[in-house]
Amino acid sequence: MSAPTLPDDSAVGPPERLHPLFLVKGIGGSIRGLAGLYAFLGYLVISGQWSFAILAAIASLLFGIVGGILYWRRFEYRVGQSEIRIDSGILSRRHRSIPFERIQDADITQGPLDRLLGIAQVKLETGGGSAGKNAEEGVLQAITLQRAHELRKLIRARRAGTPSVDRQVQEDRLPVYAMDLRRLLIAGAFNFSLAIFAGLIGITQTFGDALGFDPLSERFWRKLLAASAPLQDFALAHRGVVAIAGSTLLVVIGAATGVIRTVLLDFGFRLDRTETGLRRRRGLLTRTDVTLPLKRAQAALVTTGPFRDAFGWSELSLKSLASDEGGRRAHVLAPLAKHEEINHILSELGWRPLPDTPGWRQVSKSYVGAFALAISPLLLPLAVQALVYPPAAIGFAFGLAGAVGLRWLAWKRTAYALDGDRLLVRTGWWRRRLLVLPFARIQSADVTENFVSRRFGTANLKLGVAGGTMAGEIIPAIPSATARQLREQMLSLPA
Amino acid sequence: MPSDEPNLLPVAPGYKNVLRVRMAIAGLVLTGTAFIVDRVLLAPEGYGGLLVGTSLVLAIALIIVAPQRIYRRLRYGVGSHLLQVVRGWLFHTDTVVPLVRVQHLDVVRGPFDKMFGTASLVVHTAGTHNSVVTVPGLAPGRAAEMRDIIREHVGTDAA
């Protein structure tokens, strides 16, 4: 082996392998990863080349098994005095060393299979600016759960330079926030989603031709109707009943989707305060255990919708330099919480509670005006349509009016406020968002104008935040002079 | 509050030439594509030369008009703790970066920069949006000088 470290160097620690059960998980993963293979196999099956298809399936299975074994054989990690080393790679070897002071924490994730086998995946959270780009950085795919907890404890002790707080003490403390079953079901009800239909349409679009099943073509429905003539007569005779039954079914499916998704993700949600941050555990089948270091928090985000807002519920998440599981950029701290609970979590973070009346300053009406102007070219096809086929034009006109109306509703809610050393930005009507951004976390500020907004004398103020979206955080449509003044006020404070 | 916005300065005049060369290359690509489309699609229909002519006129207009305007509207400044870059003609952007938030700095010189004696200062911040702010068209000495000014502030942020 071409390891640059001497195998018996005590400063580097003894080499350790992944748990052998990694093979069970890893082979499944490496086979699942070969998406192109399925298309190929599917093609072979459809074109009737069965023997070749079976051969290809066996070959790829072997490939997966051998690949998994080789990966396992060639993967070693060492826990040393001052760093963790990971040597990996089958052909091109990678020797990575991660110093303890760079490791923020260890995230432990257990999928359903992992929990059956008693193993866990450990991700060493280094939280550099490159997080996300290099997600592979420091992931131990499968080690025993016990070893995972040992490792985490060790990392915390090394980081702090002091012995870690006993786990038992932590367990006894009250959680900062937790979800009971009732809360979980309420959250699920608000996550009403018809996404499953979109998914079904996607699947039938992709595979429908092969299955002779294409709900988007008229012929399919004609054939189906012809085959079910008695049903058709019944449906025509009881149109009202069918409509009610259909809508009820939609509502039930939508609600069920929301509840199932929420329960899977947020079951047993619990947030605890640790020495360095907030520790979050959640999940029904896949349990995750993530600690968010306080120092890494960049901005807080309170999101809600018109229905949830009416009941006083909202979600709290945190923008952070580290990325959350599943590539989400914001760490969810509370999926469904009342305002007092959000303030409580913020105070645990060391942030001041949100003021009740922060002195909102509404943005300019040009937020609506410029939007209307931007979509005004669509009036031309509308006029053409009105001449050719008026009914379609009416629908189109309603669509345009609706878009402007929604924009107007959003404008009513779009406002910003200065709260001491932080900025509050409230946007959106359907997706209500409240951003809490400390001035010290603003990385850059753009004032942008274009030839439309200049007519209104307004500009957008775009703020660069670490761990935010590519678009940045925007205060839209404020007078240019105000934008510049605001920017100066926020950035001129000595850091 | 007393204005902390730095005095805005124009960049080196050589940058206009850099822009002209870039525009010329873009124009060449445009005309080349137009030529192929013209030969393949339009010539058999009897409209040959139409597209090539239009794109050639467009490209020449671009080379003559755009660099001057882009240059005139490009301004930059370094203050005691802010870097400001103002640019844009139809879409106007005015960027400010607090010097303490700068993560690292590059001075970049491409082949055209070398030809016309300019350099770009590239400033990296931790932000996801706008994580790279570029000040193009600086005289190389000035770029190095700015880099040294900004470098003093790098990493002084408490966070």
Coordinates of all heavy atoms in Angstrom, one line a residue, chain A residues 184-230:
Chain A
L184 N -46.8 16.7 15.3 CA -46.3 16.0 14.0 C -47.5 15.9 13.0 O -47.3 16.2 11.8 CB -45.8 14.7 14.4 CG -44.9 14.0 13.3 CD1 -43.7 14.7 13.1 CD2 -44.6 12.6 13.8
L185 N -48.7 15.5 13.5 CA -49.8 15.3 12.6 C -50.3 16.6 12.1 O -50.7 16.8 10.9 CB -50.9 14.5 13.3 CG -50.5 13.1 13.7 CD1 -51.7 12.4 14.4 CD2 -50.2 12.3 12.4
I186 N -50.3 17.7 13.0 CA -50.7 19.0 12.5 C -49.8 19.5 11.4 O -50.2 19.9 10.4 CB -50.7 20.0 13.7 CG1 -51.7 19.6 14.8 CG2 -51.0 21.4 13.2 CD1 -51.7 20.4 16.0
A187 N -48.5 19.3 11.7 CA -47.5 19.7 10.6 C -47.7 19.0 9.3 O -47.7 19.5 8.3 CB -46.1 19.4 11.1
G188 N -48.1 17.7 9.5 CA -48.3 16.9 8.3 C -49.5 17.4 7.5 O -49.5 17.5 6.3
A189 N -50.6 17.8 8.3 CA -51.8 18.3 7.6 C -51.5 19.6 6.8 O -52.1 19.8 5.8 CB -52.9 18.6 8.7
F190 N -50.6 20.4 7.3 CA -50.2 21.6 6.6 C -49.4 21.4 5.4 O -49.2 22.2 4.6 CB -49.6 22.6 7.6 CG -50.5 23.3 8.5 CD1 -50.4 23.2 9.8 CD2 -51.5 24.1 7.9 CE1 -51.3 23.8 10.7 CE2 -52.4 24.8 8.8 CZ -52.3 24.6 10.1
N191 N -48.7 20.2 5.4 CA -47.9 19.9 4.3 C -48.6 19.2 3.1 O -48.1 18.5 2.4 CB -46.7 19.0 4.7 CG -45.6 19.7 5.4 OD1 -45.5 20.9 5.2 ND2 -44.8 19.1 6.2
F192 N -49.9 19.5 3.1 CA -50.8 19.0 2.0 C -50.1 19.1 0.7 O -49.6 20.2 0.4 CB -52.1 19.9 2.0 CG -53.1 19.5 1.0 CD1 -54.0 18.5 1.3 CD2 -53.1 20.0 -0.3 CE1 -55.0 18.1 0.3 CE2 -54.0 19.7 -1.2 CZ -54.9 18.7 -0.9
S193 N -50.1 18.0 0.0 CA -49.3 18.1 -1.3 C -49.9 17.2 -2.3 O -50.3 16.1 -2.1 CB -47.9 17.6 -1.0 OG -47.2 17.3 -2.2
L194 N -50.0 17.7 -3.5 CA -50.5 16.9 -4.6 C -49.3 16.5 -5.5 O -49.4 16.2 -6.7 CB -51.5 17.6 -5.4 CG -52.8 17.9 -4.7 CD1 -53.8 18.7 -5.5 CD2 -53.5 16.5 -4.3
A195 N -48.1 16.6 -4.9 CA -46.9 16.3 -5.7 C -46.9 14.9 -6.2 O -46.3 14.6 -7.3 CB -45.6 16.5 -4.8
I196 N -47.6 14.0 -5.5 CA -47.7 12.6 -6.0 C -48.2 12.5 -7.4 O -47.8 11.7 -8.2 CB -48.4 11.7 -5.0 CG1 -48.3 10.2 -5.3 CG2 -49.9 12.1 -4.9 CD1 -48.8 9.3 -4.3
F197 N -49.2 13.4 -7.7 CA -49.8 13.4 -9.1 C -48.8 13.8 -10.1 O -48.7 13.2 -11.2 CB -51.0 14.2 -9.1 CG -52.2 13.6 -8.4 CD1 -52.5 14.1 -7.1 CD2 -52.9 12.6 -8.9 CE1 -53.6 13.5 -6.4 CE2 -53.9 12.0 -8.3 CZ -54.3 12.4 -7.0
A198 N -48.0 14.8 -9.7 CA -46.9 15.3 -10.6 C -46.0 14.1 -10.9 O -45.5 13.8 -12.0 CB -46.2 16.4 -10.0
G199 N -45.7 13.4 -9.8 CA -44.8 12.2 -9.9 C -45.4 11.2 -10.8 O -44.7 10.6 -11.7
L200 N -46.7 10.9 -10.6 CA -47.3 9.9 -11.5 C -47.3 10.3 -12.9 O -47.0 9.5 -13.8 CB -48.8 9.7 -11.0 CG -49.0 8.9 -9.8 CD1 -50.4 8.8 -9.4 CD2 -48.4 7.5 -10.0
I201 N -47.6 11.6 -13.2 CA -47.5 12.0 -14.6 C -46.1 11.9 -15.1 O -45.9 11.4 -16.3 CB -48.0 13.5 -14.7 CG1 -49.5 13.6 -14.4 CG2 -47.6 14.1 -16.0 CD1 -50.1 14.9 -14.3
G202 N -45.1 12.2 -14.3 CA -43.7 12.0 -14.8 C -43.4 10.6 -15.1 O -42.8 10.3 -16.2
I203 N -43.9 9.7 -14.3 CA -43.6 8.3 -14.5 C -44.3 7.8 -15.8 O -43.7 7.1 -16.6 CB -44.0 7.4 -13.3 CG1 -43.1 7.7 -12.1 CG2 -44.0 5.9 -13.6 CD1 -43.6 7.1 -10.8
T204 N -45.6 8.1 -15.9 CA -46.3 7.7 -17.1 C -45.7 8.3 -18.4 O -45.7 7.7 -19.4 CB -47.8 8.0 -17.0 OG1 -47.9 9.3 -16.7 CG2 -48.4 7.1 -16.0
Q205 N -45.2 9.5 -18.2 CA -44.6 10.2 -19.4 C -43.3 9.4 -19.8 O -43.0 9.2 -21.0 CB -44.1 11.6 -19.1 CG -45.3 12.6 -19.1 CD -45.8 12.8 -20.5 OE1 -46.5 12.0 -21.0 NE2 -45.4 13.9 -21.1
T206 N -42.6 8.9 -18.8 CA -41.3 8.2 -19.1 C -41.5 6.8 -19.5 O -40.9 6.3 -20.5 CB -40.4 8.2 -17.8 OG1 -40.5 9.5 -17.2 CG2 -39.0 7.9 -18.1
F207 N -42.4 6.1 -18.8 CA -42.5 4.7 -19.1 C -43.9 4.3 -19.8 O -44.1 3.2 -20.1 CB -42.4 3.9 -17.8 CG -41.1 4.1 -17.1 CD1 -41.1 4.8 -15.9 CD2 -40.0 3.5 -17.6 CE1 -39.8 5.0 -15.3 CE2 -38.8 3.7 -16.9 CZ -38.7 4.4 -15.8
G208 N -44.7 5.3 -19.9 CA -46.1 5.1 -20.4 C -46.1 4.4 -21.7 O -46.9 3.4 -22.0
D209 N -45.2 4.8 -22.6 CA -45.2 4.2 -24.0 C -45.0 2.7 -23.9 O -45.7 1.9 -24.6 CB -44.1 4.8 -24.8 CG -44.5 6.2 -25.2 OD1 -45.7 6.5 -25.1 OD2 -43.6 7.0 -25.6
A210 N -44.1 2.3 -23.1 CA -43.7 0.9 -23.0 C -44.9 0.1 -22.4 O -45.1 -1.1 -22.7 CB -42.5 0.7 -22.1
L211 N -45.7 0.7 -21.5 CA -46.7 0.0 -20.8 C -48.1 0.2 -21.5 O -49.0 -0.4 -21.1 CB -46.9 0.6 -19.4 CG -45.6 0.5 -18.5 CD1 -45.8 1.2 -17.2 CD2 -45.2 -0.9 -18.2
G212 N -48.1 0.9 -22.6 CA -49.4 1.2 -23.2 C -50.3 2.0 -22.4 O -51.5 1.8 -22.4
F213 N -49.8 2.9 -21.6 CA -50.5 3.6 -20.6 C -50.1 5.0 -20.7 O -49.0 5.4 -20.3 CB -50.3 3.0 -19.2 CG -51.0 3.7 -18.1 CD1 -52.3 3.4 -17.8 CD2 -50.3 4.6 -17.3 CE1 -52.9 4.0 -16.8 CE2 -51.0 5.3 -16.3 CZ -52.3 4.9 -16.0
D214 N -51.0 5.9 -21.2 CA -50.6 7.3 -21.4 C -51.8 8.2 -21.1 O -52.6 8.5 -22.0 CB -50.1 7.5 -22.8 CG -49.6 8.9 -23.0 OD1 -49.6 9.7 -22.0 OD2 -49.2 9.3 -24.1
P215 N -51.9 8.6 -19.9 CA -53.1 9.4 -19.5 C -53.1 10.8 -20.1 O -54.1 11.5 -20.0 CB -53.0 9.5 -18.0 CG -51.5 9.3 -17.7 CD -51.0 8.4 -18.7
L216 N -52.1 11.2 -20.8 CA -52.1 12.5 -21.4 C -52.6 12.5 -22.9 O -52.8 13.5 -23.5 CB -50.7 13.1 -21.4 CG -50.3 13.5 -19.9 CD1 -49.0 14.3 -20.0 CD2 -51.3 14.3 -19.2
S217 N -52.8 11.2 -23.4 CA -53.3 11.2 -24.8 C -54.8 10.9 -24.7 O -55.3 10.2 -23.9 CB -52.5 10.1 -25.6 OG -53.3 8.9 -25.6
E218 N -55.5 11.5 -25.7 CA -56.9 11.4 -25.7 C -57.4 10.0 -26.0 O -58.4 9.5 -25.4 CB -57.4 12.4 -26.8 CG -58.8 12.8 -26.5 CD -59.3 13.7 -27.7 OE1 -58.5 14.3 -28.3 OE2 -60.5 13.7 -27.9
R219 N -56.6 9.3 -26.8 CA -57.0 8.0 -27.2 C -57.1 7.1 -26.0 O -58.0 6.2 -25.9 CB -56.0 7.5 -28.2 CG -56.6 6.7 -29.4 CD -55.6 6.1 -30.3 NE -54.5 5.5 -29.7 CZ -53.3 5.6 -30.1 NH1 -53.0 6.2 -31.3 NH2 -52.3 5.0 -29.5
F220 N -56.2 7.2 -25.1 CA -56.1 6.4 -23.9 C -57.5 6.5 -23.2 O -58.1 5.5 -22.8 CB -55.0 6.8 -23.0 CG -55.0 6.2 -21.6 CD1 -54.6 4.9 -21.4 CD2 -55.5 7.0 -20.6 CE1 -54.6 4.4 -20.2 CE2 -55.6 6.4 -19.3 CZ -55.1 5.1 -19.1
W221 N -58.0 7.7 -23.0 CA -59.2 7.9 -22.3 C -60.4 7.4 -23.1 O -61.3 6.8 -22.5 CB -59.4 9.4 -21.9 CG -58.4 9.8 -20.9 CD1 -57.3 10.5 -21.1 CD2 -58.4 9.4 -19.5 NE1 -56.6 10.7 -19.9 CE2 -57.3 10.0 -18.9 CE3 -59.2 8.6 -18.7 CZ2 -57.0 9.9 -17.6 CZ3 -58.9 8.5 -17.4 CH2 -57.8 9.1 -16.8
R222 N -60.4 7.6 -24.4 CA -61.5 7.1 -25.2 C -61.6 5.6 -25.1 O -62.7 5.0 -24.9 CB -61.2 7.4 -26.7 CG -61.7 8.8 -27.0 CD -61.3 9.1 -28.4 NE -61.4 10.6 -28.7 CZ -62.6 11.1 -29.1 NH1 -63.7 10.4 -29.2 NH2 -62.7 12.4 -29.3
K223 N -60.4 4.9 -25.1 CA -60.4 3.5 -25.1 C -60.9 3.0 -23.7 O -61.7 2.1 -23.6 CB -59.0 2.9 -25.3 CG -58.8 2.3 -26.7 CD -57.4 2.2 -27.1 CE -56.5 1.3 -26.2 NZ -55.1 1.3 -26.5
L224 N -60.5 3.7 -22.7 CA -60.9 3.4 -21.3 C -62.4 3.6 -21.1 O -63.0 2.7 -20.6 CB -60.1 4.3 -20.3 CG -60.1 3.8 -18.9 CD1 -59.3 2.5 -18.8 CD2 -59.6 4.9 -18.0
L225 N -62.9 4.7 -21.7 CA -64.3 5.0 -21.6 C -65.1 3.9 -22.3 O -66.1 3.5 -21.9 CB -64.6 6.4 -22.1 CG -64.2 7.5 -21.1 CD1 -64.5 8.8 -21.8 CD2 -65.0 7.3 -19.8
A226 N -64.6 3.6 -23.5 CA -65.3 2.6 -24.3 C -65.4 1.3 -23.6 O -66.4 0.6 -23.7 CB -64.7 2.5 -25.7
A227 N -64.3 1.0 -22.9 CA -64.3 -0.3 -22.2 C -65.2 -0.3 -21.0 O -65.6 -1.3 -20.5 CB -62.8 -0.6 -21.8
S228 N -65.5 0.9 -20.5 CA -66.3 1.0 -19.3 C -67.6 1.8 -19.5 O -67.9 2.7 -18.8 CB -65.5 1.6 -18.2 OG -65.1 2.9 -18.6
A229 N -68.3 1.4 -20.6 CA -69.5 2.1 -20.9 C -70.5 2.2 -19.8 O -71.1 3.3 -19.6 CB -70.1 1.5 -22.2
P230 N -70.8 1.1 -19.1 CA -71.8 1.2 -18.0 C -71.4 2.3 -17.0 O -72.2 3.1 -16.5 CB -71.8 -0.2 -17.4 CG -71.1 -1.1 -18.4 CD -70.2 -0.2 -19.2

